[in-house]
Amino acid sequence: MCSFRRIGALCVLLALLSALAGCGTQQTDTALPEEEAQKIEPKGKVYYAYFDTVSYVYDYAGDSAERFDERSAEVSHILSDYHQLFDIYHEYSGMVNLCTLNKNAGGEAMTVDPRLMDFLLYARELCELTGGEMNVMLGALLRPWHECREAAESDPSGASIPAEEDLIEAFRHTDIALLELDEDANTVRIADPLASLDVGALGKGYATEMAARWLESDGAQGYVLNIGGNIRCIGTRPDGSGWVTAVRNPDRSAEDFARRLRIADISCVTSGVYERYFTVNGVRYHHIIDKDTLYPAAYYDSLTVLCRDSGLADALSTALFCMPYEDSRALADSLEGVEVLWIFPDGEQRCTDGVWQMTENEA
Ligand code: ADP
Ligand code: MG
């Protein structure tokens, strides 16, 4: 479900993205003189149909209305395709999607769209890269948490958490090896009838990246995609500067920001405890599950990843969130072009050097 809280938070982020986007310093070869750049009116489109969230496409480059219509229509088309392929609740005619694969778990291998195969191969790679902390085969473990959250949303007074023995049993059906990918035959099989795919940690970012790459291949510059808070910048603003975005303070109201970052040609993705959660006996249970405890990860209140590939940023925002700081930091440091901001439950912030370079100001 797409909560209004979530939409509200995004609107603030966007307002900031638009309002503060004016004052840049970096210059590129293609930059327009500031006076000319300032005359360009940004254009935007919003879509509500994808990934249970709100998607925005912005053009800051001054494309004609026709060209912006064409480009945003193609972005919408790409998001729509991935939305359908990744849907675990509905099937669509003529398509094998994740819902079909989950229903067929334990059965025969099924032929899939090559785009789904590419995605699952990448998802498996990322699972390995993160030592299983971001695992798209966690479906069996995520489901009881998801059901408790939904039940709590409709009846907060009766809210409860899953039984520990159910979590332990569920975890036995989450090995990434249960996902059998045959690249040559282009088929997928889930080897255990009780196992299932859940790509909530990666799907949105991956689809964002596919849309961004299409825009890049079409020669677009000066575009920003914001797909449910998953931000991907294509190029720079016309004057060669970056856009300003803000990382929410996880502990306070949506008007309050922990840090402002100037970003260009990069993705910015945050995972936080404040987005989707429910409360039982005064304890908050959020939606990112640590495979090592089987409970919501407790190391940070929010974690932001900046890197070019939005799929990688999305996967890492979840994986690094589930790791103690030393391990999380070591993995971040081992990856080229990946910058991270960790915000701890007591409000302390730590970040990689690249984040300091992007920091516009601290709160
Ligand atoms: P959001 O989608 O809210 O931006 P994330 O990218 O962190 O946040 O993804 C959270 C979603 O990913 C959860 O709702 C759940 O579907 C799934 N998920 C939660 N924990 C994990 C995990 N450890 N590995 C893989 N998927 C997870
Ligand atoms: Mg993620």
Side-chain angles (χ1 to χ4, degrees), residues 6 9-10 13-14 17 51 53-58 75 79 199-212 223-234 245-246 263 266-271 275 304-318:
R6 208 167 153 76
L10 291 175
L13 180 71
L14 267 163
L17 194 69
F51 304 108
T53 188
V54 193
S55 302
Y56 301 87
V57 181
Y58 284 105
V75 166
L79 296 178
V199 303
L202 169 64
K204 206 168 53 180
Y206 186 89
T208 306
E209 183 62 22
M210 293 300 115
Y223 272 64
V224 176
L225 301 178
N226 180 345
I227 315 300
N230 204 309
I231 293 174
R232 169 65 150 92
C233 307
I234 293 125
T245 188
I263 55 174
I266 206 165
S267 298
C268 179
V269 179
T270 298
S271 282
E275 286 283 349
T304 299
V305 176
L306 296 121
C307 67
R308 176 124 176 166
D309 180 333
S310 219
L312 180 64
D314 197 2
L316 287 177
S317 77
T318 309

CSV table of all heavy atoms in Angstrom, one decimal, residues 6 9-10 13-14 17 51 53-58 75 79 199-212 223-234 245-246 263 266-271 275 304-318:
chain,number,residue,atom,x,y,z
A,6,ARG,N,4.2,8.4,3.1
A,6,ARG,CA,5.3,8.2,2.1
A,6,ARG,C,5.2,9.2,1.0
A,6,ARG,O,6.2,9.8,0.7
A,6,ARG,CB,5.0,6.8,1.5
A,6,ARG,CG,6.3,6.1,1.1
A,6,ARG,CD,5.9,4.7,0.8
A,6,ARG,NE,6.7,4.1,-0.2
A,6,ARG,CZ,8.0,3.7,0.0
A,6,ARG,NH1,8.5,3.9,1.2
A,6,ARG,NH2,8.7,3.2,-0.9
A,9,ALA,N,6.4,12.7,2.3
A,9,ALA,CA,7.9,12.8,2.4
A,9,ALA,C,8.5,13.0,1.1
A,9,ALA,O,9.4,13.8,0.9
A,9,ALA,CB,8.4,11.5,3.0
A,10,LEU,N,8.0,12.4,0.1
A,10,LEU,CA,8.5,12.5,-1.3
A,10,LEU,C,8.3,13.9,-1.8
A,10,LEU,O,9.2,14.5,-2.4
A,10,LEU,CB,7.9,11.5,-2.2
A,10,LEU,CG,8.3,10.1,-1.9
A,10,LEU,CD1,7.5,9.2,-2.8
A,10,LEU,CD2,9.8,9.9,-2.2
A,13,LEU,N,10.8,16.2,-0.4
A,13,LEU,CA,12.1,16.0,-1.1
A,13,LEU,C,12.1,16.7,-2.4
A,13,LEU,O,13.1,17.3,-2.8
A,13,LEU,CB,12.3,14.5,-1.2
A,13,LEU,CG,13.6,14.1,-1.9
A,13,LEU,CD1,14.7,14.3,-0.9
A,13,LEU,CD2,13.5,12.6,-2.2
A,14,LEU,N,11.0,16.5,-3.1
A,14,LEU,CA,10.9,17.1,-4.5
A,14,LEU,C,10.9,18.6,-4.5
A,14,LEU,O,11.6,19.2,-5.3
A,14,LEU,CB,9.7,16.6,-5.2
A,14,LEU,CG,10.1,15.4,-6.0
A,14,LEU,CD1,9.0,14.6,-6.3
A,14,LEU,CD2,11.0,15.8,-7.2
A,17,LEU,N,14.3,19.6,-4.1
A,17,LEU,CA,15.0,19.3,-5.3
A,17,LEU,C,14.8,20.4,-6.3
A,17,LEU,O,15.7,20.9,-6.9
A,17,LEU,CB,14.6,18.0,-5.9
A,17,LEU,CG,15.4,17.3,-6.9
A,17,LEU,CD1,16.8,16.9,-6.3
A,17,LEU,CD2,14.7,16.2,-7.5
A,51,PHE,N,5.0,0.4,-8.9
A,51,PHE,CA,5.8,0.1,-7.7
A,51,PHE,C,5.1,0.6,-6.4
A,51,PHE,O,5.8,0.9,-5.5
A,51,PHE,CB,7.3,0.5,-7.8
A,51,PHE,CG,7.9,0.0,-9.0
A,51,PHE,CD1,8.2,0.8,-10.1
A,51,PHE,CD2,8.2,-1.4,-9.1
A,51,PHE,CE1,8.9,0.3,-11.2
A,51,PHE,CE2,8.8,-1.9,-10.3
A,51,PHE,CZ,9.1,-1.0,-11.3
A,53,THR,N,4.1,3.3,-5.6
A,53,THR,CA,4.6,4.6,-5.1
A,53,THR,C,4.4,5.7,-6.2
A,53,THR,O,3.7,5.5,-7.1
A,53,THR,CB,6.1,4.4,-4.7
A,53,THR,OG1,6.6,5.6,-4.1
A,53,THR,CG2,7.0,4.1,-5.9
A,54,VAL,N,5.0,6.8,-5.9
A,54,VAL,CA,4.9,7.9,-6.9
A,54,VAL,C,6.2,8.1,-7.7
A,54,VAL,O,7.2,8.1,-7.1
A,54,VAL,CB,4.6,9.3,-6.1
A,54,VAL,CG1,4.1,10.3,-7.1
A,54,VAL,CG2,3.6,9.0,-5.0
A,55,SER,N,6.0,8.3,-9.0
A,55,SER,CA,7.2,8.4,-9.8
A,55,SER,C,7.2,9.8,-10.5
A,55,SER,O,6.1,10.2,-11.1
A,55,SER,CB,7.2,7.3,-10.9
A,55,SER,OG,7.1,6.1,-10.4
A,56,TYR,N,8.3,10.4,-10.5
A,56,TYR,CA,8.4,11.7,-11.2
A,56,TYR,C,9.5,11.7,-12.2
A,56,TYR,O,10.6,11.1,-12.0
A,56,TYR,CB,8.8,12.8,-10.2
A,56,TYR,CG,7.8,13.0,-9.0
A,56,TYR,CD1,8.0,12.3,-7.9
A,56,TYR,CD2,6.8,14.0,-9.1
A,56,TYR,CE1,7.1,12.5,-6.8
A,56,TYR,CE2,6.0,14.2,-8.0
A,56,TYR,CZ,6.1,13.4,-6.9
A,56,TYR,OH,5.3,13.6,-5.8
A,57,VAL,N,9.2,12.3,-13.4
A,57,VAL,CA,10.2,12.5,-14.4
A,57,VAL,C,10.4,14.0,-14.6
A,57,VAL,O,9.4,14.7,-14.8
A,57,VAL,CB,9.8,11.9,-15.7
A,57,VAL,CG1,10.9,12.1,-16.8
A,57,VAL,CG2,9.4,10.5,-15.6
A,58,TYR,N,11.6,14.5,-14.5
A,58,TYR,CA,11.9,16.0,-14.6
A,58,TYR,C,12.8,16.2,-15.8
A,58,TYR,O,13.8,15.5,-15.9
A,58,TYR,CB,12.5,16.6,-13.4
A,58,TYR,CG,11.5,16.8,-12.2
A,58,TYR,CD1,11.5,15.9,-11.2
A,58,TYR,CD2,10.6,17.8,-12.3
A,58,TYR,CE1,10.6,16.1,-10.1
A,58,TYR,CE2,9.7,18.0,-11.3
A,58,TYR,CZ,9.7,17.1,-10.2
A,58,TYR,OH,8.8,17.3,-9.2
A,75,VAL,N,9.8,6.5,-20.7
A,75,VAL,CA,10.1,6.2,-19.3
A,75,VAL,C,9.0,5.5,-18.6
A,75,VAL,O,9.1,4.4,-17.9
A,75,VAL,CB,10.5,7.5,-18.5
A,75,VAL,CG1,10.6,7.2,-17.0
A,75,VAL,CG2,11.9,8.0,-19.0
A,79,LEU,N,9.0,1.7,-17.0
A,79,LEU,CA,8.6,1.4,-15.6
A,79,LEU,C,7.4,0.5,-15.5
A,79,LEU,O,7.3,-0.4,-14.7
A,79,LEU,CB,8.2,2.8,-14.9
A,79,LEU,CG,9.3,3.8,-14.7
A,79,LEU,CD1,8.8,5.0,-14.1
A,79,LEU,CD2,10.5,3.2,-13.9
A,199,VAL,N,11.3,-8.9,-4.6
A,199,VAL,CA,12.4,-8.0,-5.1
A,199,VAL,C,12.2,-6.6,-4.6
A,199,VAL,O,12.7,-5.6,-5.2
A,199,VAL,CB,12.5,-8.1,-6.6
A,199,VAL,CG1,12.8,-9.5,-7.1
A,199,VAL,CG2,11.3,-7.6,-7.3
A,200,GLY,N,11.5,-6.4,-3.5
A,200,GLY,CA,11.3,-5.1,-2.9
A,200,GLY,C,12.5,-4.3,-2.7
A,200,GLY,O,12.5,-3.0,-2.8
A,201,ALA,N,13.6,-4.9,-2.5
A,201,ALA,CA,14.9,-4.2,-2.1
A,201,ALA,C,15.6,-3.7,-3.4
A,201,ALA,O,16.6,-3.0,-3.2
A,201,ALA,CB,15.8,-5.1,-1.3
A,202,LEU,N,15.2,-4.2,-4.5
A,202,LEU,CA,16.1,-4.0,-5.7
A,202,LEU,C,15.3,-3.6,-7.0
A,202,LEU,O,15.8,-2.8,-7.8
A,202,LEU,CB,16.8,-5.3,-6.0
A,202,LEU,CG,17.6,-5.4,-7.3
A,202,LEU,CD1,18.7,-4.4,-7.4
A,202,LEU,CD2,18.2,-6.8,-7.5
A,203,GLY,N,14.0,-4.0,-7.0
A,203,GLY,CA,13.3,-3.9,-8.3
A,203,GLY,C,13.1,-2.5,-8.7
A,203,GLY,O,13.3,-2.1,-9.9
A,204,LYS,N,12.7,-1.6,-7.8
A,204,LYS,CA,12.4,-0.2,-8.1
A,204,LYS,C,13.7,0.5,-8.6
A,204,LYS,O,13.6,1.2,-9.6
A,204,LYS,CB,11.9,0.5,-6.8
A,204,LYS,CG,11.0,1.6,-7.0
A,204,LYS,CD,10.4,2.0,-5.6
A,204,LYS,CE,11.5,2.2,-4.6
A,204,LYS,NZ,10.9,2.5,-3.2
A,205,GLY,N,14.8,0.3,-8.0
A,205,GLY,CA,16.0,0.9,-8.4
A,205,GLY,C,16.5,0.3,-9.7
A,205,GLY,O,17.0,1.1,-10.6
A,206,TYR,N,16.3,-0.9,-9.9
A,206,TYR,CA,16.7,-1.5,-11.2
A,206,TYR,C,15.9,-0.9,-12.4
A,206,TYR,O,16.4,-0.6,-13.4
A,206,TYR,CB,16.5,-3.1,-11.1
A,206,TYR,CG,17.0,-3.8,-12.4
A,206,TYR,CD1,18.3,-4.2,-12.4
A,206,TYR,CD2,16.2,-4.1,-13.4
A,206,TYR,CE1,18.8,-4.9,-13.5
A,206,TYR,CE2,16.7,-4.7,-14.6
A,206,TYR,CZ,18.0,-5.2,-14.6
A,206,TYR,OH,18.4,-5.9,-15.7
A,207,ALA,N,14.6,-0.9,-12.2
A,207,ALA,CA,13.7,-0.3,-13.2
A,207,ALA,C,14.1,1.2,-13.5
A,207,ALA,O,14.1,1.6,-14.6
A,207,ALA,CB,12.3,-0.4,-12.8
A,208,THR,N,14.4,1.9,-12.4
A,208,THR,CA,14.8,3.3,-12.5
A,208,THR,C,16.1,3.4,-13.4
A,208,THR,O,16.2,4.2,-14.3
A,208,THR,CB,15.1,3.9,-11.1
A,208,THR,OG1,14.0,3.7,-10.3
A,208,THR,CG2,15.5,5.4,-11.2
A,209,GLU,N,17.0,2.5,-13.1
A,209,GLU,CA,18.3,2.5,-13.9
A,209,GLU,C,18.0,2.1,-15.4
A,209,GLU,O,18.6,2.7,-16.3
A,209,GLU,CB,19.2,1.4,-13.3
A,209,GLU,CG,20.6,1.4,-13.9
A,209,GLU,CD,21.4,2.7,-13.8
A,209,GLU,OE1,21.1,3.5,-12.9
A,209,GLU,OE2,22.3,2.9,-14.7
A,210,MET,N,17.1,1.2,-15.6
A,210,MET,CA,16.8,0.9,-17.0
A,210,MET,C,16.2,2.1,-17.8
A,210,MET,O,16.5,2.4,-18.9
A,210,MET,CB,15.9,-0.3,-17.1
A,210,MET,CG,16.5,-1.6,-16.6
A,210,MET,SD,17.9,-2.1,-17.6
A,210,MET,CE,19.2,-2.0,-16.3
A,211,ALA,N,15.3,2.8,-17.1
A,211,ALA,CA,14.7,4.0,-17.7
A,211,ALA,C,15.8,5.1,-17.9
A,211,ALA,O,15.9,5.7,-18.9
A,211,ALA,CB,13.6,4.5,-16.7
A,212,ALA,N,16.7,5.2,-16.9
A,212,ALA,CA,17.8,6.2,-17.0
A,212,ALA,C,18.7,5.9,-18.2
A,212,ALA,O,19.1,6.8,-19.0
A,212,ALA,CB,18.6,6.3,-15.7
A,223,TYR,N,18.1,15.4,-17.0
A,223,TYR,CA,16.9,14.8,-16.5
A,223,TYR,C,17.1,14.3,-15.1
A,223,TYR,O,18.2,13.9,-14.7
A,223,TYR,CB,16.5,13.6,-17.4
A,223,TYR,CG,15.6,14.0,-18.6
A,223,TYR,CD1,16.1,14.9,-19.6
A,223,TYR,CD2,14.3,13.6,-18.7
A,223,TYR,CE1,15.3,15.3,-20.6
A,223,TYR,CE2,13.5,13.9,-19.8
A,223,TYR,CZ,14.0,14.8,-20.7
A,223,TYR,OH,13.2,15.1,-21.8
A,224,VAL,N,16.0,14.3,-14.3
A,224,VAL,CA,16.0,13.6,-13.0
A,224,VAL,C,14.8,12.7,-12.9
A,224,VAL,O,13.7,13.1,-13.2
A,224,VAL,CB,15.9,14.7,-11.8
A,224,VAL,CG1,15.9,14.0,-10.5
A,224,VAL,CG2,17.1,15.6,-11.9
A,225,LEU,N,15.1,11.5,-12.5
A,225,LEU,CA,14.0,10.5,-12.2
A,225,LEU,C,13.9,10.4,-10.7
A,225,LEU,O,14.9,10.2,-10.0
A,225,LEU,CB,14.3,9.1,-12.8
A,225,LEU,CG,14.5,9.1,-14.3
A,225,LEU,CD1,14.8,7.6,-14.7
A,225,LEU,CD2,13.2,9.5,-15.0
A,226,ASN,N,12.7,10.5,-10.1
A,226,ASN,CA,12.5,10.2,-8.7
A,226,ASN,C,11.4,9.2,-8.6
A,226,ASN,O,10.2,9.5,-8.7
A,226,ASN,CB,12.1,11.5,-8.0
A,226,ASN,CG,11.9,11.2,-6.5
A,226,ASN,OD1,11.8,10.1,-6.1
A,226,ASN,ND2,11.9,12.3,-5.7
A,227,ILE,N,11.8,7.9,-8.5
A,227,ILE,CA,10.8,6.8,-8.5
A,227,ILE,C,10.7,6.3,-7.0
A,227,ILE,O,11.5,5.6,-6.5
A,227,ILE,CB,11.3,5.6,-9.4
A,227,ILE,CG1,11.8,6.2,-10.7
A,227,ILE,CG2,10.2,4.6,-9.6
A,227,ILE,CD1,10.8,7.0,-11.6
A,228,GLY,N,9.7,6.9,-6.4
A,228,GLY,CA,9.5,6.5,-5.0
A,228,GLY,C,10.7,6.9,-4.1
A,228,GLY,O,11.0,6.1,-3.2
A,229,GLY,N,11.3,8.0,-4.3
A,229,GLY,CA,12.4,8.4,-3.5
A,229,GLY,C,13.7,7.9,-4.0
A,229,GLY,O,14.8,8.3,-3.5
A,230,ASN,N,13.7,7.0,-5.0
A,230,ASN,CA,14.9,6.5,-5.6
A,230,ASN,C,15.3,7.5,-6.7
A,230,ASN,O,14.7,7.6,-7.8
A,230,ASN,CB,14.5,5.2,-6.3
A,230,ASN,CG,15.7,4.2,-6.4
A,230,ASN,OD1,16.7,4.6,-7.0
A,230,ASN,ND2,15.5,3.0,-6.0
A,231,ILE,N,16.3,8.3,-6.4
A,231,ILE,CA,16.6,9.4,-7.3
A,231,ILE,C,17.8,9.0,-8.2
A,231,ILE,O,18.8,8.5,-7.8
A,231,ILE,CB,17.0,10.7,-6.5
A,231,ILE,CG1,15.8,11.2,-5.8
A,231,ILE,CG2,17.6,11.8,-7.4
A,231,ILE,CD1,16.0,12.3,-4.8
A,232,ARG,N,17.6,9.3,-9.5
A,232,ARG,CA,18.6,9.1,-10.5
A,232,ARG,C,18.8,10.3,-11.4
A,232,ARG,O,17.8,10.7,-12.1
A,232,ARG,CB,18.3,7.8,-11.3
A,232,ARG,CG,19.1,7.6,-12.6
A,232,ARG,CD,20.6,7.3,-12.2
A,232,ARG,NE,21.2,6.4,-13.2
A,232,ARG,CZ,21.9,6.8,-14.3
A,232,ARG,NH1,22.0,8.1,-14.5
A,232,ARG,NH2,22.5,6.0,-15.1
A,233,CYS,N,19.9,10.9,-11.4
A,233,CYS,CA,20.2,12.1,-12.2
A,233,CYS,C,20.9,11.7,-13.5
A,233,CYS,O,21.8,11.0,-13.4
A,233,CYS,CB,21.1,13.1,-11.5
A,233,CYS,SG,20.6,13.5,-9.8
A,234,ILE,N,20.4,12.3,-14.6
A,234,ILE,CA,21.0,12.1,-15.9
A,234,ILE,C,21.7,13.3,-16.3
A,234,ILE,O,21.0,14.3,-16.6
A,234,ILE,CB,20.0,11.6,-16.9
A,234,ILE,CG1,19.5,10.2,-16.4
A,234,ILE,CG2,20.5,11.5,-18.3
A,234,ILE,CD1,18.0,10.1,-16.2
A,245,THR,N,19.7,17.7,-3.3
A,245,THR,CA,18.6,16.9,-2.7
A,245,THR,C,18.9,16.8,-1.2
A,245,THR,O,20.0,17.2,-0.7
A,245,THR,CB,18.6,15.5,-3.3
A,245,THR,OG1,17.5,14.8,-2.8
A,245,THR,CG2,19.9,14.7,-3.0
A,246,ALA,N,18.0,16.3,-0.4
A,246,ALA,CA,18.2,16.3,1.0
A,246,ALA,C,17.9,14.9,1.6
A,246,ALA,O,17.0,14.2,1.1
A,246,ALA,CB,17.2,17.3,1.7
A,263,ILE,N,24.2,16.8,-6.2
A,263,ILE,CA,24.4,15.6,-7.0
A,263,ILE,C,24.2,15.8,-8.5
A,263,ILE,O,23.3,16.5,-8.9
A,263,ILE,CB,23.5,14.4,-6.5
A,263,ILE,CG1,22.0,14.8,-6.5
A,263,ILE,CG2,23.9,14.0,-5.1
A,263,ILE,CD1,21.1,13.6,-6.2
A,266,ILE,N,24.3,10.7,-11.0
A,266,ILE,CA,24.4,9.7,-10.0
A,266,ILE,C,23.0,9.4,-9.4
A,266,ILE,O,22.0,10.1,-9.7
A,266,ILE,CB,25.3,10.3,-8.8
A,266,ILE,CG1,26.0,9.2,-8.1
A,266,ILE,CG2,24.5,11.2,-7.9
A,266,ILE,CD1,27.1,9.7,-7.2
A,267,SER,N,23.0,8.3,-8.7
A,267,SER,CA,21.7,7.9,-8.0
A,267,SER,C,21.9,8.1,-6.5
A,267,SER,O,23.0,8.1,-6.0
A,267,SER,CB,21.4,6.4,-8.2
A,267,SER,OG,21.3,6.0,-9.5
A,268,CYS,N,20.8,8.4,-5.9
A,268,CYS,CA,20.8,8.6,-4.4
A,268,CYS,C,19.6,7.8,-3.9
A,268,CYS,O,18.4,8.1,-4.2
A,268,CYS,CB,20.6,10.1,-4.1
A,268,CYS,SG,20.6,10.5,-2.4
A,269,VAL,N,19.9,6.8,-3.1
A,269,VAL,CA,18.8,6.0,-2.6
A,269,VAL,C,18.9,5.8,-1.0
A,269,VAL,O,20.0,5.5,-0.6
A,269,VAL,CB,18.9,4.6,-3.2
A,269,VAL,CG1,17.8,3.7,-2.7
A,269,VAL,CG2,18.8,4.7,-4.7
A,270,THR,N,17.9,6.0,-0.3
A,270,THR,CA,17.9,5.9,1.1
A,270,THR,C,17.0,4.7,1.6
A,270,THR,O,15.9,4.6,1.1
A,270,THR,CB,17.4,7.2,1.8
A,270,THR,OG1,18.3,8.2,1.4
A,270,THR,CG2,17.4,7.1,3.3
A,271,SER,N,17.5,3.9,2.5
A,271,SER,CA,16.6,3.0,3.2
A,271,SER,C,16.5,3.5,4.7
A,271,SER,O,17.5,3.9,5.3
A,271,SER,CB,17.2,1.6,3.2
A,271,SER,OG,17.0,0.9,2.0
A,275,GLU,N,9.9,4.5,7.1
A,275,GLU,CA,9.0,4.4,5.9
A,275,GLU,C,7.8,3.5,6.1
A,275,GLU,O,6.7,3.9,5.9
A,275,GLU,CB,9.8,4.0,4.7
A,275,GLU,CG,10.7,5.0,4.1
A,275,GLU,CD,10.0,6.1,3.3
A,275,GLU,OE1,8.8,5.9,3.0
A,275,GLU,OE2,10.6,7.1,3.0
A,304,THR,N,22.0,6.0,3.3
A,304,THR,CA,21.9,6.5,2.0
A,304,THR,C,23.1,6.0,1.1
A,304,THR,O,24.2,6.1,1.6
A,304,THR,CB,21.9,8.0,2.0
A,304,THR,OG1,20.7,8.4,2.8
A,304,THR,CG2,21.7,8.6,0.6
A,305,VAL,N,22.8,5.6,0.0
A,305,VAL,CA,23.9,5.1,-1.0
A,305,VAL,C,23.8,6.1,-2.2
A,305,VAL,O,22.8,6.3,-2.7
A,305,VAL,CB,23.7,3.7,-1.4
A,305,VAL,CG1,24.7,3.3,-2.4
A,305,VAL,CG2,23.7,2.7,-0.2
A,306,LEU,N,25.0,6.5,-2.6
A,306,LEU,CA,25.2,7.3,-3.8
A,306,LEU,C,26.1,6.6,-4.7
A,306,LEU,O,27.3,6.3,-4.3
A,306,LEU,CB,25.7,8.7,-3.5
A,306,LEU,CG,24.8,9.5,-2.6
A,306,LEU,CD1,25.4,9.9,-1.3
A,306,LEU,CD2,24.2,10.7,-3.4
A,307,CYS,N,25.6,6.2,-5.9
A,307,CYS,CA,26.5,5.6,-6.9
A,307,CYS,C,25.7,5.7,-8.2
A,307,CYS,O,24.5,6.1,-8.2
A,307,CYS,CB,26.9,4.2,-6.6
A,307,CYS,SG,25.5,3.0,-6.7
A,308,ARG,N,26.4,5.5,-9.3
A,308,ARG,CA,25.7,5.8,-10.6
A,308,ARG,C,24.5,4.8,-10.8
A,308,ARG,O,23.4,5.3,-11.2
A,308,ARG,CB,26.8,5.6,-11.7
A,308,ARG,CG,26.2,5.7,-13.1
A,308,ARG,CD,26.9,6.8,-13.8
A,308,ARG,NE,26.3,6.8,-15.1
A,308,ARG,CZ,26.5,7.8,-16.0
A,308,ARG,NH1,27.2,8.8,-15.7
A,308,ARG,NH2,26.0,7.7,-17.2
A,309,ASP,N,24.8,3.6,-10.6
A,309,ASP,CA,23.7,2.5,-11.0
A,309,ASP,C,22.7,2.5,-9.9
A,309,ASP,O,22.9,2.2,-8.7
A,309,ASP,CB,24.4,1.2,-11.1
A,309,ASP,CG,23.5,0.0,-11.4
A,309,ASP,OD1,22.3,0.1,-11.1
A,309,ASP,OD2,23.9,-1.0,-12.0
A,310,SER,N,21.4,2.9,-10.3
A,310,SER,CA,20.4,2.9,-9.3
A,310,SER,C,20.0,1.6,-8.7
A,310,SER,O,19.5,1.5,-7.6
A,310,SER,CB,19.2,3.6,-10.0
A,310,SER,OG,18.5,4.4,-9.1
A,311,GLY,N,20.2,0.5,-9.5
A,311,GLY,CA,19.9,-0.8,-9.0
A,311,GLY,C,20.9,-1.2,-7.9
A,311,GLY,O,20.5,-1.7,-6.9
A,312,LEU,N,22.1,-0.9,-8.2
A,312,LEU,CA,23.2,-1.2,-7.2
A,312,LEU,C,22.9,-0.4,-5.9
A,312,LEU,O,23.0,-0.9,-4.8
A,312,LEU,CB,24.5,-0.9,-7.8
A,312,LEU,CG,25.7,-1.1,-6.8
A,312,LEU,CD1,25.9,-2.6,-6.5
A,312,LEU,CD2,27.0,-0.6,-7.5
A,313,ALA,N,22.6,0.9,-6.1
A,313,ALA,CA,22.3,1.8,-5.0
A,313,ALA,C,21.1,1.2,-4.1
A,313,ALA,O,21.2,1.2,-2.9
A,313,ALA,CB,22.0,3.2,-5.5
A,314,ASP,N,20.1,0.8,-4.8
A,314,ASP,CA,18.9,0.2,-4.1
A,314,ASP,C,19.3,-1.0,-3.3
A,314,ASP,O,19.0,-1.2,-2.1
A,314,ASP,CB,17.8,-0.1,-5.1
A,314,ASP,CG,16.5,-0.2,-4.5
A,314,ASP,OD1,16.3,0.0,-3.2
A,314,ASP,OD2,15.5,-0.5,-5.2
A,315,ALA,N,20.0,-1.9,-4.0
A,315,ALA,CA,20.4,-3.2,-3.3
A,315,ALA,C,21.3,-2.9,-2.1
A,315,ALA,O,21.1,-3.5,-1.1
A,315,ALA,CB,21.1,-4.1,-4.3
A,316,LEU,N,22.3,-2.0,-2.4
A,316,LEU,CA,23.2,-1.7,-1.3
A,316,LEU,C,22.6,-1.0,-0.1
A,316,LEU,O,22.9,-1.2,1.0
A,316,LEU,CB,24.4,-0.9,-1.8
A,316,LEU,CG,25.4,-1.6,-2.7
A,316,LEU,CD1,26.5,-0.6,-3.2
A,316,LEU,CD2,26.1,-2.8,-1.9
A,317,SER,N,21.6,-0.1,-0.4
A,317,SER,CA,20.9,0.6,0.7
A,317,SER,C,20.3,-0.4,1.6
A,317,SER,O,20.3,-0.2,2.8
A,317,SER,CB,19.9,1.6,0.1
A,317,SER,OG,18.7,1.0,-0.3
A,318,THR,N,19.8,-1.5,1.1
A,318,THR,CA,19.2,-2.5,2.0
A,318,THR,C,20.3,-3.4,2.6
A,318,THR,O,20.2,-3.6,3.8
A,318,THR,CB,18.2,-3.4,1.1
A,318,THR,OG1,17.4,-2.6,0.4
A,318,THR,CG2,17.4,-4.4,2.0
